[in-house]
Amino acid sequence: MDTAGKPITCKAAVLWEFNKPLSFETIEVAPPKAGEVRIKVVANSTCHSDLHVIDGALWEKRMQCPLILGHEGAGIVESVGEGVTEVQAGDHVIPLWNPQCRECENCKSNKTNVCSKLRDTQNAGLMPDKTTRFTCNGKTVYHFMGCSTFSEYTVVSDLSICKINPEAPLDKVCVIGCGISTGYGAAINSAKVTEGSSCAVFGLGAVGLSAVMGCKAAGAKTIIAIDINPDKAEIAKKLGATDFMNPKDLGQIPIEGVILQQTGGRGIDFTFECIGNAATMKSAFYSCHNAWGVCTIVGVTPPTQELSIITLAIVAGRKLQGSVFGGYKGKDDVPKLVEQYMNKELNIDDFISQNIKLEEVNEAFDTMRQGKLARSVVKFE
Ligand code: PAD
Ligand code: ZN
């Protein structure tokens, strides 16, 4: 049946209220307007950034419910709106929560990968024309991060999409849509980890584990993987960690104290915070070498959270920086990461802990709350 130009009725996971589980609903997805693309989502994985929203910790003041979460997806273009030239029906695509307009000051600069064009509407859960394409029982449903891939069909801006190799398995490469790129690129692009260096990664979800993988790919000599869940040691070591530390095993001594002791007071060259917690951000910062250590913050906290550090700790040259989507420009780099996976240069398979149905996603988020597993991939039929 030709669905182009018509609304599509399908299944989606809807967040009606913060701090409540997702509900499985039949929704209507309007056709794409000019400059938009409607996608049949094939797979989508869970990310802690979705969970931050469910738990009311992220952007609660700016976001509106009901909304459809999901920003780590892959699918096939169903139809395109007027003026869309980059993709056409049938193309295999990954939606980009970090768009690339190629026109804004940020996109034209090689100093950042963060496009500014859609920021305001995207944060407000709207399409660029300030409306939404989703309704449920006649009620407006908002978008999330410009993707909303916990739905069988979604509509995105053509700035927020990239075409990928049609041979790539969508239920694997969906993780390139956020987790893998974010951690791997934080090490390679943002921190620029050097050969023979020492690294420490705080938090071993898909983001932290891919930071471990990035440190290894960059030739780091020592990679300390840190998590309060001892079960993460095995996979971290498989991906390149040389040591594992559980802060819960250290008694009263803060982890940065132990790291300094173990490095003869020297500290670590590159640290990464991949949890989203101000206390571990401080630990990651103070674990760095006092003159040249670089601490990269990847984890996301509530928007009002502040981070206080001793000013003298930064004066000698220790650096504190952030990283969004691993420093990758979506349209330019995501197709290349897919090729790296196809050429067996990038491991994704080890990050996928389980395949689930959409209806099992609340349980998958429960396991994520407990710090278990890496990614749970929803496969749509
Ligand atoms: P996850 O929940 O899968 O993994 C977090 C890990 O941290 C788990 O293994 C926990 O056991 C562990 N952990 C929790 N508390 C502590 C602690 N105090 N000390 C040590 N370990 C701890 O999350 P994820 O990998 O999906 O995401 C991690 C963070 O990265 C999260 O805050 C998410 O919002 C953020 C993120 N940032 C970007 C970006 O572009 N900057 C993109 C995607 C995700
Ligand atoms: Zn994410």
Side-chain angles (χ1 to χ4, degrees):
M1 191 183 78
D2 187 14
T3 46
K6 300 173 195 151
I8 292 179
T9 302
C10 71
K11 204 167 60 174
V14 176
L15 180 71
W16 289 97
E17 252 182 274
F18 297 112
N19 295 305
K20 291 274 163 64
L22 304 179
S23 302
F24 307 100
E25 308 281 0
T26 299
I27 61 157
E28 285 229 320
V29 184
K33 292 191 183 174
E36 298 176 359
V37 181
R38 189 161 59 183
I39 305 165
K40 180 175 179 11
V41 182
V42 173
N44 181 62
S45 45
T46 49
C47 174
H48 208 118
S49 302
D50 299 303
L51 184 54
H52 284 319
V53 178
I54 299 173
D55 291 345
L58 200 60
W59 305 314
E60 191 180 357
K61 300 265 174 335
R62 282 192 280 165
M63 279 183 190
Q64 299 185 69
C65 285
L67 58 82
I68 297 173
L69 292 167
H71 62 281
E72 204 172 280
I76 301 169
V77 173
E78 174 270 340
S79 63
V80 300
E82 207 187 307
V84 173
T85 53
E86 245 179 80
V87 294
Q88 58 185 34
D91 283 347
H92 288 213
V93 290
I94 289 183
L96 305 170
W97 60 263
N98 182 37
Q100 190 180 353
C101 75
R102 302 186 194 279
E103 283 171 359
C104 72
E105 187 185 14
N106 289 11
C107 276
K108 283 184 180 158
S109 165
N110 59 11
K111 292 183 192 150
T112 180
N113 65 322
V114 183
C115 174
S116 60
K117 182 89 180 262
L118 304 181
R119 191 157 46 203
D120 293 344
T121 47
Q122 183 168 316
N123 285 344
L126 299 168
M127 294 300 291
D129 75 346
K130 300 190 177 155
T131 62
T132 92
R133 300 292 160 268
F134 302 126
T135 49
C136 181
N137 301 325
K139 204 170 175 355
T140 298
V141 176
Y142 293 92
H143 297 249
F144 175 63
M145 286 174 85
C147 293
S148 291
T149 35
F150 277 126
S151 173
E152 287 175 313
Y153 285 86
T154 190
V155 178
V156 305
S157 157
D158 67 346
L159 305 180
S160 311
I161 195 165
C162 73
K163 189 168 151 177
I164 59 162
N165 183 341
E167 304 289 318
L170 297 172
D171 58 345
K172 300 278 197 290
V173 296
C174 59
V175 189
I176 293 176
C178 183
I180 297 249
S181 318
T182 295
Y184 194 68
I188 306 249
N189 304 322
S190 308
K192 298 189 171 50
V193 168
T194 51
E195 213 172 325
S197 60
S198 58
C199 298
V201 178
F202 290 70
L204 304 171
V207 173
L209 288 170
S210 49
V212 167
M213 189 166 74
C215 295
K216 163 96 176 160
K221 187 170 166 218
T222 313
I223 305 171
I224 307 173
I226 299 158
D227 204 290
I228 49 176
N229 177 0
D231 296 344
K232 297 283 174 95
E234 192 183 329
I235 180 159
K237 289 196 172 160
K238 186 172 181 196
L239 293 168
T242 53
D243 302 87
F244 175 81
M245 284 171 78
N246 181 347
K248 286 189 171 168
D249 294 341
L250 306 177
Q252 293 303 308
I253 316 176
I255 188 153
E256 56 271 32
V258 176
I259 286 177
L260 286 175
Q261 261 173 24
Q262 289 184 355
T263 54
R266 182 184 176 279
I268 302 281
D269 298 326
F270 300 97
T271 64
F272 300 87
E273 203 277 358
C274 304
I275 301 164
N277 173 324
T280 45
M281 289 175 184
K282 278 170 93 164
S283 296
F285 176 72
Y286 289 124
S287 299
C288 278
H289 189 284
N290 80 322
W292 62 70
V294 179
C295 171
T296 304
I297 303 292
V298 186
V300 174
T301 66
T304 51
Q305 175 69 55
E306 293 189 352
L307 179 66
S308 91
I309 46 169
I310 295 166
T311 53
L312 273 183
I314 206 159
V315 159
R318 211 186 242 131
K319 289 182 189 63
L320 180 64
Q321 63 173 17
S323 175
V324 166
F325 196 53
Y328 288 114
K329 298 214 185 221
K331 282 184 192 273
D332 291 347
D333 295 324
V334 165
K336 290 184 200 157
L337 288 165
V338 170
E339 287 314 310
Q340 285 186 31
Y341 171 72
M342 297 302 281
N343 296 334
K344 300 193 170 20
E345 295 156 10
L346 184 71
N347 182 347
I348 297 181
D349 298 5
D350 282 330
F351 289 79
I352 299 176
S353 314
Q354 55 176 358
N355 288 303
I356 57 169
K357 294 199 174 89
L358 184 64
E359 289 78 4
E360 294 168 320
V361 75
N362 287 316
E363 289 74 26
F365 279 124
D366 273 342
T367 60
M368 186 175 261
R369 278 189 191 95
Q370 294 157 25
K372 292 184 189 158
L373 307 182
R375 285 300 194 248
S376 302
V377 174
V378 172
K379 285 169 91 165
F380 293 90
E381 262 95 59

